[in-house]
Amino acid sequence: MQLSINNLSKTYSNGVEALKNVSLTIKTGMFGLLGPNGAGKSTLMRILATLQEPDTGIAVFNDINILKEKDKLRKTLGYLPQEFGVYPKINAETLLNHVAVLKGINKRGERKELVKALLNKTNLYEQRKKNLGGYSGGMKQRFGIAQALIANPKLIIVDEPTAGLDPAERNRFLNLLSELGDHAVVILSTHIVEDVKELCTDMAVINKGELLLQGNPLDAIESIQGRVWKKIIDKTTLSEYKTNFNVVSEKLIAGKPIIHILSDTNPGDGFESVTPDLEDVYFAQIFGSAELAIT
Amino acid sequence: MLETIKFELQYRLKRPATYIYFALLFALAMFMVTTDVVQVSIGSGKVAPNAMFTLTFFHLVFVALGMLIISAVMGVPIVRDFEHNTSSIIFTTSTKKWQYLSGRFIGSFIVVLFIFLGPILGMLFGQLSPWAEKEHFVAVNLMNYIYPYLQGIPALFILGSIFFMGGALSRKITYVYVIGVLMIVLYLGVDSFTSDIENKKLASLFDPFGLNAFFYETQYWTTAEKNSLPPPTGGIVAFYRMVWLPIACLCLFISYFFFNFNVVRDSKWKKKKAVVNKVSNQSAPMQLPQASFSFGFGNQLKSIQNMTSIYFKTS
């Protein structure tokens, strides 16, 4: 199974270039699409989910032309939108059953079994009779994944599913997702580096509509091995460091800024070498000036 | 499509609004026929309150007055998916555009048909009740109630289709109500031109409720005719239907043609310049400027003014 995206571009009427000539090839498994808020991730996700038209470019899933054969794609699509709602006065079982019919599952018995299984899988069975309006953020998100999985989809798109979940809910949710990659192309869009690190075998970074990097997360980390240095500094000297070094990230640890910089050689000056992680790769792409080459 | 109809009905049957609308019309109608509070003179003399003519007249008035209810029911089925943000989920299922639209329309229309049983049943129960003034009654006949109800259906369909289109295409309930207001304006505007006969004939065609057509066809009826004849279906009434039913169908066709499953609509009119935010990872410590506070009457006035302008901008 393969999803090929070729030269997708989309510019909104207010002049925002959401996507600039994005090309990607995505194979079976979990694919992480990483980018800051406003990078163009959701636009790309909506285009792939048949809900929006790009200005130019093509997207093909197996032999389905996504932009032309929308009905055909929808039969094999599972989509969890970034910001989705539910009918507040309806319970989970009813809405899931409704979506199941709309997705083409006509036999009542089969539908009932499937809805039950999905509610169990997403740990919502106990609350199946509760109105969706009363669901917490995490429960709603799990309901979202339940509806996305109904039609045994081969292309699963989840758009920022973990934003706003508490750590326990997030773990539960990631566990749910992790099973899906075996038999489908799963695209996980997120701005949370950890999500990608924990789940994805392949990833891409986009920012301001441009594809900055695509590859295996481990390879990406490998590519900056030995080039990331850290130092705990004083708040007042921060801007000084920013002008002198290629600072990719700054964090506070116990109130003190700790900066990571990218440098091919030892910068001295009290910097220590660190083992890079995916976050360094990500920030190096978004904020660093160094170009990373991943083969 | 059947599933969508079923869902729409299930959804509505759980909503109190459905029953409140029904009960409201039922109660109003019953109140009207059992008390003297509402005095509507239709023609001179002794037209029976339970004649088909009278009941049709009142039912059509209820339909026209109930236009707000029609707009509330027929305007929302598509808007709902945008308001609750369920559009993305529904539109990525295998449901087709025609199934989705027709299902939601038919489901909602069935609900409207149910709600507008209210006035008929209200009048029926009112007139059967022991405390109704039974003076001038003609023999009670169930047909006298069924027939007026049927006469109201074309107007319900016409109004319903127009509101449905408004909701489906604008995706905002505000526009549905704007259409409602425009219809009233159209009706009242036309009404003020109906001084002479020729204008009256023409006016009947500009009235989406069909009230003028009914008046025109029955204006010279005698009391005996009003007490015995079924309401007119020919003449201007037929003409009204020939004009407005195609308009209603056109509205539905336009809804189908222009509606699409794109969830993001790029406005062709508003070409605002995007504000480019520079994203940076700088978190420079910044001193917030000092502001002075006052919580007096002046501030309250200022707050009212601000709320007004915010509300104006956001609605």
Side-chain angles (χ1 to χ4, degrees):
Chain A
M1 277 180 287
Q2 179 169 305
L3 172 70
S4 315
I5 298 164
N6 269 308
N7 299 318
L8 275 190
S9 291
K10 172 75 193 174
T11 304
Y12 288 104
S13 60
N14 60 9
V16 171
E17 286 185 271
L19 294 174
K20 297 177 200 166
N21 258 328
V22 172
S23 298
L24 276 172
T25 304
I26 300 171
K27 295 204 158 58
T28 307
M30 291 284 293
F31 183 91
L33 185 72
L34 205 50
N37 291 329
K41 299 187 299 289
S42 288
T43 302
L44 179 58
M45 301 294 95
R46 278 194 300 262
I47 291 171
L48 295 177
T50 71
L51 292 175
Q52 207 180 342
E53 311 275 349
D55 298 332
T56 55
I58 49 171
V60 178
F61 178 65
N62 293 337
D63 54 349
I64 305 169
N65 181 337
I66 294 179
L67 307 175
K68 301 251 167 66
E69 300 165 282
K70 292 183 175 176
D71 283 338
K72 206 169 162 194
L73 185 84
R74 283 176 189 142
K75 287 184 184 134
T76 182
L77 171 74
Y79 176 50
L80 173 61
Q82 180 183 5
E83 278 170 8
F84 72 97
V86 285
Y87 305 121
K89 305 283 182 180
I90 270 187
N91 67 45
E93 197 178 32
T94 310
L95 187 52
L96 212 50
N97 183 65
H98 178 55
V99 175
V101 180
L102 296 186
K103 293 220 182 197
I105 302 159
N106 272 329
K107 288 192 182 136
R108 196 195 182 92
E110 287 176 13
R111 207 164 58 225
K112 218 175 157 187
E113 285 302 305
L114 185 67
V115 165
K116 193 177 160 191
L118 280 167
L119 286 170
N120 269 317
K121 195 181 173 74
T122 50
N123 229 335
L124 291 170
Y125 192 73
E126 300 289 311
Q127 283 97 10
R128 68 189 187 282
K129 294 287 183 200
K130 189 175 168 183
N131 276 354
L132 287 160
Y135 270 27
S136 72
M139 289 159 74
K140 208 184 96 186
Q141 214 62 21
R142 279 185 273 144
F143 176 80
I145 202 71
Q147 66 79 24
L149 296 182
I150 283 178
N152 189 23
K154 294 292 169 227
L155 175 62
I156 301 173
I157 297 174
V158 285
D159 197 357
E160 305 227 2
T162 56
L165 297 190
D166 69 45
E169 270 290 2
R170 182 174 160 268
N171 281 339
R172 210 172 294 152
F173 195 81
L174 293 184
N175 281 332
L176 261 174
L177 283 183
S178 66
E179 300 169 19
L180 307 177
D182 300 341
H183 310 290
V185 172
V186 185
I187 307 176
L188 165 69
S189 126
T190 182
H191 61 268
I192 301 167
V193 180
E194 297 289 307
D195 290 351
V196 174
K197 194 165 107 191
E198 286 167 32
L199 290 176
C200 301
T201 47
D202 203 3
M203 63 172 267
V205 177
I206 69 168
N207 190 23
K208 295 174 189 162
E210 277 177 295
L211 183 70
L212 300 178
L213 168 143
Q214 183 184 4
N216 180 306
L218 295 177
D219 292 343
I221 294 170
E222 186 58 37
S223 73
I224 55 168
Q225 188 73 41
R227 297 164 65 201
V228 183
W229 310 81
K230 73 165 182 187
K231 187 180 179 185
I232 300 174
I233 59 162
D234 199 74
K235 259 183 205 161
T236 49
T237 55
L238 185 63
S239 55
E240 208 175 296
Y241 279 98
K242 280 191 172 160
T243 42
N244 293 333
F245 297 100
N246 186 7
V247 177
V248 294
S249 72
E250 50 172 285
K251 271 189 269 193
L252 290 176
I253 290 191
K256 281 253 177 193
I258 175 167
I259 55 169
H260 282 197
I261 66 161
L262 205 60
S263 169
D264 289 342
T265 55
N266 188 340
D269 197 18
F271 276 99
E272 293 170 46
S273 173
V274 284
T275 313
D277 62 15
L278 199 57
E279 199 168 274
D280 293 312
V281 174
Y282 174 66
F283 282 132
Q285 288 296 338
I286 307 285
F287 300 118
S289 48
E291 289 290 317
L292 293 185
I294 296 175
T295 47
Chain B
M1 184 180 77
L2 283 176
E3 168 63 18
T4 307
I5 297 175
K6 205 177 109 197
F7 179 80
E8 187 68 30
L9 287 175
Q10 272 177 352
Y11 188 88
R12 303 286 193 163
L13 290 180
K14 287 195 191 134
R15 310 292 299 138
T18 308
Y19 304 102
I20 293 172
Y21 294 147
F22 174 86
L24 189 74
L25 292 173
F26 181 92
L28 269 177
M30 187 151 158
F31 190 67
M32 188 186 76
V33 295
T34 51
T35 68
D36 292 334
V37 179
V38 189
Q39 290 280 7
V40 190
S41 67
I42 36 167
S44 58
K46 308 181 168 51
V47 179
N50 66 343
M52 238 186 237
F53 168 83
T54 318
L55 293 166
T56 306
F57 166 78
F58 281 125
H59 185 61
L60 288 179
V61 170
F62 272 111
V63 168
L65 290 178
M67 189 188 67
L68 273 179
I69 294 174
I70 305 174
S71 69
V73 176
M74 298 304 292
V76 296
I78 305 296
V79 176
R80 186 194 306 134
D81 276 332
F82 294 95
E83 252 172 17
H84 292 320
N85 223 342
T86 43
S87 48
S88 302
I89 288 175
I90 302 293
F91 298 171
T92 50
T93 63
S94 307
T95 193
K96 304 258 194 311
K97 189 165 85 168
W98 72 267
Q99 292 172 320
Y100 171 72
L101 290 174
S102 59
R104 292 286 170 101
F105 176 83
I106 294 169
S108 302
F109 191 59
I110 292 173
V111 172
V112 165
L113 289 179
F114 162 74
I115 290 172
F116 280 87
L117 278 173
I120 287 291
L121 292 177
M123 290 189 280
L124 174 64
F125 279 88
Q127 288 174 342
L128 292 179
S129 72
W131 57 87
E133 279 280 348
K134 295 207 173 56
E135 204 187 343
H136 308 311
F137 262 33
V138 291
V140 175
N141 178 351
L142 208 55
M143 262 322 279
N144 285 10
Y145 298 88
I146 296 171
Y147 204 75
Y149 177 71
L150 297 178
Q151 294 299 302
I153 291 177
L156 290 176
F157 179 76
I158 289 160
L159 294 168
S161 306
I162 294 171
F163 288 126
F164 183 80
M165 176 182 75
L169 296 186
S170 73
R171 303 181 175 186
K172 288 202 178 63
I173 197 71
T174 323
Y175 291 95
V176 176
Y177 291 131
V178 169
I179 293 176
V181 172
L182 288 179
M183 302 253 250
I184 296 176
V185 170
L186 182 69
Y187 176 77
L188 293 178
V190 164
D191 221 33
S192 60
F193 283 109
T194 51
S195 46
D196 62 78
I197 295 294
E198 272 315 300
N199 277 350
K200 256 186 185 173
K201 215 168 182 173
L202 198 66
S204 323
L205 300 181
F206 280 103
D207 156 26
F209 309 105
L211 272 173
N212 281 328
F214 177 79
F215 291 146
Y216 184 85
E217 280 300 316
T218 55
Q219 58 189 332
Y220 299 122
W221 279 18
T222 61
T223 302
E225 281 174 324
K226 283 176 178 166
N227 281 347
S228 59
L229 286 180
T233 51
I236 291 295
V237 171
F239 206 31
Y240 152 78
R241 287 175 190 167
M242 268 159 54
V243 170
W244 282 93
L245 287 176
I247 290 178
C249 294
L250 186 71
C251 285
L252 294 181
F253 180 75
I254 290 173
S255 305
Y256 174 77
F257 193 78
F258 286 104
F259 184 81
N260 65 49
F261 279 168
N262 280 12
V263 292
V264 178
R265 289 204 298 182
D266 218 6
S267 171
K268 291 188 180 67
W269 292 281
K270 280 190 218 156
K271 293 233 189 265
K272 273 187 281 185
K273 198 80 192 127
V275 183
V276 180
N277 278 319
K278 275 188 90 175
V279 182
S280 81
N281 64 342
Q282 287 187 352
S283 54
M286 192 176 75
Q287 197 68 43
L288 294 179
Q290 279 292 326
S292 59
F293 295 89
S294 85
F295 302 103
F297 184 64
N299 175 258
Q300 290 173 8
L301 278 183
K302 190 83 191 152
S303 302
I304 293 175
Q305 184 216 323
N306 244 288
M307 277 188 196
T308 312
S309 67
I310 284 275
Y311 186 79
F312 190 74
K313 280 174 198 157
T314 50
S315 64

